[in-house]
Amino acid sequence: MRLTLTQGRCFYSTFMASLIDPASWRQFNGLALSDIANEPLPLKEAMPARSSERPDIIVIQHESIFDPRIFGLPIEPIVEAFLSPADGEFGRLNVDIFGGGSWQSEFSLLTGLSSASFGSSAYYLFKKGAGRFHSSLPRSLASLGYRTTLTSSCRRNFLDYDEFYGSIGIDERIFIDDFPPPFDIRRFEATNSDAMFLEAVIDAHAKRIANDPSPQFLYVLTNFNHGPHDRRLVPSGQFERERAFAMANLPDAGYAEYYARLVETASTWQKLKERLASSIAGRPVLVMHYGDHQPVLTRRIDRHLEGSVDSRRPFRTFYAIEAFNIPHLAPGPGADLDIAFLGTVALQRAGLPLDPIFATRASLLDDCGNTYFASASERKRRFHRTLVNRGLIDLKPRVQHAR
């Protein structure tokens, strides 16, 4: 029996429990959209670009990374520079999931929808939703001349990633088993180290843009901070001072391991920023980082806390936006966001035009605030009806042929 919990319109998903329901992967009937009105919402007019530039856009999903400060835990400068870059925009991110199901966050970022809107199908959208979603961030960028690339730390045969990502407009899909030598996949998969993976990703990107002036959209999926956190993945002798710092603030070995991995990621990114800056030769680049969900170890952190219970805290992670050669990006704290709006915000911060779909979605920011699915906005529900009526979301059952 698959365990899911809907609590105050908060969607909860547990990774391992869901995997024991293989029958759900064989359902090819239609999808049901829970928050949809009867009447459509007229679309806004397209919004023009703020600049003639077409910045490269790099979006990095950081597996299971959250900001310890949401639990009142202190962080060191190297981590603060990653989560809240002084020259970038940053804030808290609301996601639909806790503990697993990273692809649900990927779905929301790329389609501008909440996976929770699809009820019991939410966890299986990469299987059941392939070919059903025809408005997406990659498609919008491709219409502006962008080359679209996915680079994943998983193997190509992981779930239905290749098919789904192709169906929403990502043309080149690179998986960890596609990386050429000298990348050592066996060594990498022993830890899923961000130091190994992100270095290879940025090096490949630098080679890609060296002979291609086309604007690039690169979506990167990491896996380093995936649980369980009772495994020591950071090698002995590395980041021991930082591990001790975490233990001094919360006497939990799992949290200390999480924090040590986070420091490795932050340190790696600090080095790679310099490498990226030297390789882009003046190209404008927008980089967006975000955490896909909290790991289950945060339940233990909650038990250590004193004070009132915050039902939304398990669904909060972080986002951070950095820019190279984009002068109009205003640094500092940004608004708390829902992940369904993160792709739209990326387009806005890059100064790109918004088509009528994205312009209308941007207009919902004030209606929905930082909780897209939880919002009772009637305009959101009508917007969903518009997407269905225009064939941009296909809910219809699929014909099954007898064998």
Side-chain angles (χ1 to χ4, degrees):
M1 181 176 184
R2 182 169 59 89
L3 176 63
T4 57
L5 173 67
T6 303
Q7 182 181 42
R9 293 184 67 81
C10 300
F11 189 81
Y12 176 85
S13 169
T14 301
F15 180 76
M16 293 307 296
S18 297
L19 289 183
I20 65 174
D21 185 15
S24 297
W25 292 93
R26 298 195 296 269
Q27 295 174 7
F28 288 89
N29 53 328
L31 294 177
L33 186 59
S34 64
D35 46 354
I36 185 169
N38 292 324
E39 294 297 320
L41 180 71
L43 294 177
K44 297 283 186 181
E45 292 185 4
M47 298 181 66
R50 290 190 293 169
S51 167
S52 60
E53 298 279 6
R54 292 287 188 267
D56 293 343
I57 298 176
I58 301 174
V59 179
I60 305 176
Q61 175 175 282
H62 294 277
E63 170 67 40
S64 297
I65 287 186
F66 63 94
D67 187 338
R69 292 173 295 187
I70 68 174
F71 294 97
L73 294 169
I75 58 176
E76 296 167 291
I78 185 66
V79 175
E80 183 175 14
F82 173 68
L83 298 173
S84 308
D87 56 353
E89 180 183 345
F90 51 88
R92 291 180 176 178
L93 184 68
N94 183 75
V95 297
D96 293 331
I97 53 176
F98 172 83
S102 301
W103 46 93
Q104 291 176 241
S105 287
E106 297 160 36
F107 172 85
S108 293
L109 174 96
L110 295 170
T111 66
L113 301 166
S114 169
S115 65
S117 297
F118 296 90
S120 61
S121 295
Y123 194 82
Y124 308 103
L125 282 170
F126 272 32
K127 177 69 175 181
K128 300 176 70 173
R132 292 184 178 273
F133 299 94
H134 304 293
S135 173
S136 69
L137 179 62
R139 287 190 186 280
S140 180
L141 289 168
S143 73
L144 299 174
Y146 278 73
R147 297 188 183 276
T148 57
T149 304
L150 166 76
T151 304
S152 171
S153 57
C154 296
R155 290 180 180 251
R156 184 172 292 274
N157 62 0
F158 181 68
L159 299 181
D160 297 274
Y161 268 49
D162 195 27
E163 180 183 6
F164 181 81
Y165 274 106
S167 77
I168 61 167
I170 293 191
D171 294 326
E172 185 175 11
R173 300 174 297 281
I174 302 169
F175 295 85
I176 201 66
D177 43 341
D178 298 322
F179 280 41
F183 188 85
D184 187 339
I185 188 171
R186 290 187 178 181
R187 178 169 164 252
F188 168 74
E189 289 185 330
T191 65
N192 292 296
S193 164
D194 274 353
M196 283 186 67
F197 177 64
L198 291 176
E199 181 175 358
V201 168
I202 295 303
D203 283 349
H205 179 70
K207 292 176 183 176
R208 184 182 302 114
I209 65 175
N211 300 307
D212 188 351
S214 303
Q216 304 283 329
F217 171 64
L218 173 62
Y219 190 35
V220 182
L221 306 177
T222 75
N223 208 33
F224 184 40
N225 231 318
H226 198 292
H229 288 86
D230 56 2
R231 300 178 302 159
R232 184 161 179 153
L233 300 185
V234 178
S236 180
Q238 292 187 20
F239 307 117
E240 296 293 351
R241 184 187 61 79
E242 291 83 358
R243 186 185 296 271
F245 172 85
M247 281 292 289
N249 290 295
L250 184 72
D252 184 294
Y255 172 67
E257 172 65 17
Y258 165 81
Y259 189 82
R261 296 186 203 175
L262 175 57
V263 173
E264 177 178 312
T265 298
S267 301
T268 298
W269 179 245
Q270 186 176 65
K271 297 172 186 174
L272 291 178
K273 277 178 65 174
E274 298 175 2
R275 188 178 303 181
L276 183 62
S278 66
S279 69
I280 59 179
R283 289 173 71 122
V285 179
L286 185 89
V287 181
M288 174 178 280
H289 307 263
Y290 73 94
D292 58 348
H293 58 76
Q294 292 182 22
V296 294
L297 76 86
T298 59
R299 289 176 177 166
R300 299 207 302 264
I301 298 175
D302 253 329
R303 288 197 289 268
H304 284 284
L305 296 175
E306 297 179 358
S308 59
V309 175
D310 181 351
S311 64
R312 291 304 313 162
R313 186 161 51 206
F315 300 91
R316 292 195 190 112
T317 65
F318 85 103
Y319 75 91
I321 304 171
E322 299 176 273
F324 301 83
N325 307 313
I326 303 178
H328 64 253
L329 183 72
D336 290 355
L337 294 174
D338 188 277
I339 193 168
F341 288 117
L342 207 52
T344 302
V345 169
L347 295 177
Q348 291 176 318
R349 299 302 183 266
L352 295 173
L354 302 183
D355 65 25
I357 299 296
F358 275 92
T360 305
R361 183 175 289 113
S363 76
L364 294 174
L365 269 162
D366 289 339
D367 288 53
C368 299
N370 62 359
T371 51
Y372 187 80
F373 176 67
S375 167
S377 167
E378 182 63 16
R379 291 185 69 243
K380 177 197 70 174
R381 293 165 53 84
R382 293 179 63 194
F383 176 57
H384 291 170
R385 173 57 64 187
T386 298
L387 296 177
V388 171
N389 287 359
R390 289 173 173 259
L392 299 175
I393 302 176
D394 178 9
L395 301 176
K396 299 186 296 294
R398 289 174 174 168
V399 175
Q400 287 184 292
H401 299 283
R403 294 185 177 180

